[in-house]
Amino acid sequence: MLKVDQLDVFYGNIHALKGVSLDVQEGEIVTLIGANGAGKSTLLKTLSGLLKPKNGTIQYLSNTIAGKPAQEIVKAGISHVPEGRRVFSNMTVEENLELGAFLRKDSKEIQKDIQKVYTTFPRLLERRKQLSGTLSGGEQQMLAMGRAIMAKPKLLLLDEPSMGLAPLMVKTIFEIIEDINRGGTTILLVEQNAHMALSVANRAYVIETGRVTVSGTAAELQASEEIKNAYLGGH
Amino acid sequence: MEWIQQLINGISLGSIYALIALGYTMVYGIIKLINFAHGEVFMIGAFVGFYAIAGWGLGFFPALLLAMAVCAIFGVLIERIAYRRLRNATRIAALITAIGLSLLIQYVVIYFRGAQPEAYPDALSNKTFDLFGVQISSQSILILSVSIVLMILLQFIVHRTKIGKAMRAVSHDMDAARLMGINVNTTISATFAIGSALAGAAGVFFGVYYTKIEPLMGIIPGLKAFVAAVLGGIGIIPGAMVGGLVLGVVETIVSALGYSLWRDAAAFIILILILLFRPSGIFGKNAREKV
Ligand SMILES: Nc1ncnc2c1ncn2[C@@H]1O[C@H](COP(=O)(O)OP(=O)(O)OP(=O)(O)O)[C@@H](O)[C@H]1O
Ligand SMILES: [Mg+2]
């Protein structure tokens, strides 16, 4: 459903993505792993329209979306949970969820979907009138994911959902990622926690200094000596 | 009793400052720019109101609405033409542009109609009535009530409507707002439209209250409203309201104590004090911005 071909992205003179190509099939969880500064967030930001590529194409369903404004990409069904959550900390949990549905007009359905998010994340229900800035890191991650789901995406982009979370919370978040996927949403998951990411993903790409260097099924990457040494702590 | 009268005068003057200060604070909140051309939007509002009343014989309220509408469009054009392309430029470049624009508007108006002042027509019959020995002017009361209605309306827009929620989201985190599907350009335009309409209303009130307008009339009230916005905490909407009212009351008290020559200085003394002792303003959190 998503096909990225020979993407080049620059920050001024810095060449952050160098001819990146990858694809995601409908229904999959695909993970993108790589070290700090490899270009993972840059790729997601380009997919969601926050950055414009210099060269290359992005084919999503039957449209090319490279360089389109972010709101059109959201409307087309791609939601991006950014690195560091970026919840609107001056607003309540519920207001954040409502903003996630900004482009939708079906207010009855929106209310139903808010309740669904609360079923998925019961912690958010308890805190629905609380300012989101007062939530814990894990709760903010839940809110950022809930907010993205409110747009009813077909493709969900997740940027390091496990960042800064305790192991138990990481486990919860990854179970929910699998749940969301079983519900029919395709997922592109950026992670540094390669171990967790490969355990839920169907396929994986490794990105190093702006280039895709390895790709394969999650099982292949888990078995590879090279990947084990570089990303799985040598176990 | 004299004091209560002065207080009411101070509050109605303060509500004019507050209306202008809201535009400063909303624009700062969303694009971190002190829009120094905002005082000129106020001036344009005063002139539109003047021509509508004196030239076309419109009543006070239709003239007020017309001035607000014209200023809303004017504010949107200012952003579209002058500021949008500077969104990723340094703050100082945007600030210099704002100051340049302010001068440009002043002198374009002078070019077309001259610098001579204009006597504002009597659009509101001013009756003074006596309430338990306090002399109250009906104009003060009307200006104050219409200002309060406008501020309540603004609070409603910002907190209850979709565009208001978009404005709060963009001012908090522009990229995160984009990811919600919010059109940032439209949202910024709406902010300029609303802020400028309030300044336009303030212009008409100012004309009615002080009965004299001229092309450079935006400078001092503009600066004072800026002080009011800083006093309340720049970027914070209730702060601008309170800051404006406090400033109006302080100025009136300074005059009433017989120091009318110090009236204008009072605002700037307040600015210096606030920058020294509480730079984030009355409502601001006294912490450095987190990076
Ligand atoms: N706004 C920016 N301006 C200039 N360079 C940037 C900017 N953002 C990222 N970069 C550079 O682009 C490269 C890729 O950054 P990116 O954020 O995509 O990495 P990442 O893989 O997400 O890393 P991390 O795991 O630390 O989040 C880095 O070298 C980074 O320094
Ligand atoms: Mg990153």
Side-chain angles (χ1 to χ4, degrees):
Chain A
M1 83 190 307
L2 179 76
K3 188 161 172 51
V4 176
D5 200 30
Q6 292 296 322
L7 210 56
D8 280 306
V9 178
F10 287 78
Y11 294 101
N13 291 326
I14 300 171
H15 197 173
L17 293 185
K18 302 164 186 156
V20 168
S21 301
L22 57 80
D23 65 277
V24 178
Q25 304 300 323
E26 188 147 8
E28 278 188 314
I29 299 183
V30 172
T31 184
L32 183 68
I33 55 185
N36 288 112
K40 307 180 296 292
S41 299
T42 304
L43 177 66
L44 293 196
K45 285 180 193 165
T46 312
L47 294 178
S48 58
L50 295 182
L51 295 174
K52 296 202 186 327
K54 181 142 191 188
N55 305 305
T57 57
I58 305 172
Q59 192 77 25
Y60 166 72
L61 299 175
S62 50
N63 313 309
T64 56
I65 58 166
K68 287 256 175 77
Q71 72 264 16
E72 283 181 31
I73 294 175
V74 177
K75 200 177 262 169
I78 300 182
S79 275
H80 178 176
V81 181
E83 183 175 319
R85 290 101 204 197
R86 309 277 284 268
V87 296
F88 298 105
S89 55
N90 55 340
M91 297 186 208
T92 65
V93 167
E94 193 143 307
E95 283 176 315
N96 270 270
L97 294 178
E98 284 164 6
L99 275 172
F102 190 80
L103 290 176
R104 293 173 53 187
K105 305 229 156 31
D106 46 345
S107 44
K108 277 208 186 99
E109 286 297 307
I110 292 174
Q111 287 312 317
K112 266 191 216 158
D113 284 345
I114 289 182
Q115 297 314 317
K116 262 194 227 164
V117 169
Y118 288 147
T119 324
T120 316
F121 304 102
R123 294 240 208 153
L124 296 182
L125 178 60
E126 295 161 32
R127 291 163 177 75
R128 53 194 284 251
K129 295 287 169 208
Q130 200 169 316
L131 285 184
S132 66
T134 65
L135 300 180
S136 77
E139 288 157 1
Q140 289 192 9
Q141 185 61 47
M142 294 175 177
L143 179 57
M145 287 166 62
R147 187 180 66 176
I149 294 170
M150 287 302 299
K152 287 198 160 174
K154 300 187 188 82
L155 173 62
L156 185 62
L157 312 175
L158 296 168
D159 198 342
E160 300 201 36
S162 76
M163 189 168 60
L165 303 184
L168 203 61
M169 182 57 86
V170 174
K171 203 166 156 267
T172 313
I173 294 287
F174 272 79
E175 278 164 13
I176 291 167
I177 293 173
E178 288 188 288
D179 274 349
I180 294 172
N181 178 247
R182 272 192 292 272
T185 310
T186 309
I187 290 175
L188 178 56
L189 169 66
V190 158
E191 261 302 340
Q192 289 205 38
N193 187 337
H195 185 69
M196 283 304 281
L198 290 173
S199 74
V200 299
N202 306 100
R203 287 188 308 115
Y205 291 87
V206 175
I207 182 167
E208 283 171 35
T209 58
R211 285 199 173 82
V212 172
T213 51
V214 181
S215 65
T217 65
E220 278 164 11
L221 267 75
Q222 273 169 325
S224 142
E225 284 303 320
E226 200 185 331
I227 300 296
K228 273 189 200 163
N229 290 329
Y231 297 102
L232 300 173
H235 305 310
Chain B
M1 287 306 156
E2 168 83 31
W3 277 103
I4 299 182
Q5 238 158 275
Q6 294 293 357
L7 194 66
I8 292 174
N9 289 340
I11 292 176
S12 35
L13 173 62
S15 63
I16 295 179
Y17 291 150
L19 288 176
I20 312 174
L22 284 166
Y24 272 113
T25 233
M26 290 167 67
V27 164
Y28 184 86
I30 206 154
I31 54 171
K32 304 291 174 277
L33 166 74
I34 305 292
N35 175 17
F36 275 114
H38 194 57
E40 278 53 59
V41 176
F42 159 82
M43 176 266 289
I44 296 288
F47 273 97
V48 172
F50 169 80
Y51 290 120
I53 298 167
W56 309 339
L58 291 187
F60 173 77
F61 281 104
L64 180 69
L65 290 178
L66 182 70
M68 290 176 73
V70 170
C71 286
I73 295 168
F74 188 51
V76 170
L77 289 176
I78 288 177
E79 190 273 331
R80 188 69 194 80
I81 295 167
Y83 297 150
R84 186 169 295 181
R85 63 192 79 215
L86 292 171
R87 210 170 287 157
N88 297 316
T90 55
R91 281 207 207 177
I92 192 76
L95 197 65
I96 291 169
T97 305
I99 294 170
L101 193 63
S102 156
L103 292 167
L104 178 72
I105 298 168
Q106 287 163 16
Y107 289 95
V108 165
V109 171
I110 290 179
Y111 179 81
F112 281 109
R113 66 162 294 287
Q116 75 282 5
E118 210 73 69
Y120 225 73
D122 252 335
L124 287 174
S125 58
N126 193 12
K127 293 189 203 74
T128 311
F129 52 92
D130 194 303
L131 195 71
F132 308 115
V134 185
Q135 301 290 315
I136 299 173
S137 101
S138 61
Q139 257 174 19
S140 298
I141 296 297
L142 188 80
I143 288 177
L144 184 60
S145 351
V146 179
S147 305
I148 291 173
V149 169
L150 289 176
M151 291 186 215
I152 292 172
L153 192 65
L154 176 67
Q155 283 296 351
F156 176 81
I157 292 174
V158 169
H159 289 277
R160 293 271 175 276
T161 66
K162 216 159 177 180
I163 189 70
K165 285 180 182 170
M167 283 162 53
R168 283 158 67 210
V170 172
S171 77
H172 187 260
D173 185 336
M174 206 176 272
D175 272 345
R178 283 199 176 93
L179 293 180
M180 303 300 103
I182 293 171
N183 185 331
V184 168
N185 285 337
T186 312
T187 308
I188 291 174
S189 292
T191 308
F192 270 83
I194 296 171
S196 303
L198 294 176
V204 177
F205 292 160
F206 188 92
V208 168
Y209 204 69
Y210 289 100
T211 66
K212 194 190 92 174
I213 61 170
E214 42 106 9
L216 301 183
M217 66 180 277
I219 301 174
I220 294 295
L223 283 174
K224 287 182 181 168
F226 168 64
V227 173
V230 173
L231 175 63
I234 188 94
I236 303 168
I237 287 177
M241 297 179 187
V242 172
L245 292 178
V246 169
L247 193 62
V249 170
V250 167
E251 280 195 354
T252 317
I253 290 175
V254 169
S255 309
L257 289 175
Y259 300 103
S260 15
L261 284 178
W262 284 85
R263 218 185 80 154
D264 287 351
F268 301 103
I269 293 171
I270 290 180
L271 179 64
I272 292 168
L273 291 179
I274 199 96
L275 290 178
L276 282 177
F277 296 109
R278 202 178 161 81
S280 52
I282 300 175
F283 287 79
K285 287 184 203 72
N286 240 357
R288 288 187 179 277
E289 262 177 58
K290 277 185 210 149
V291 184

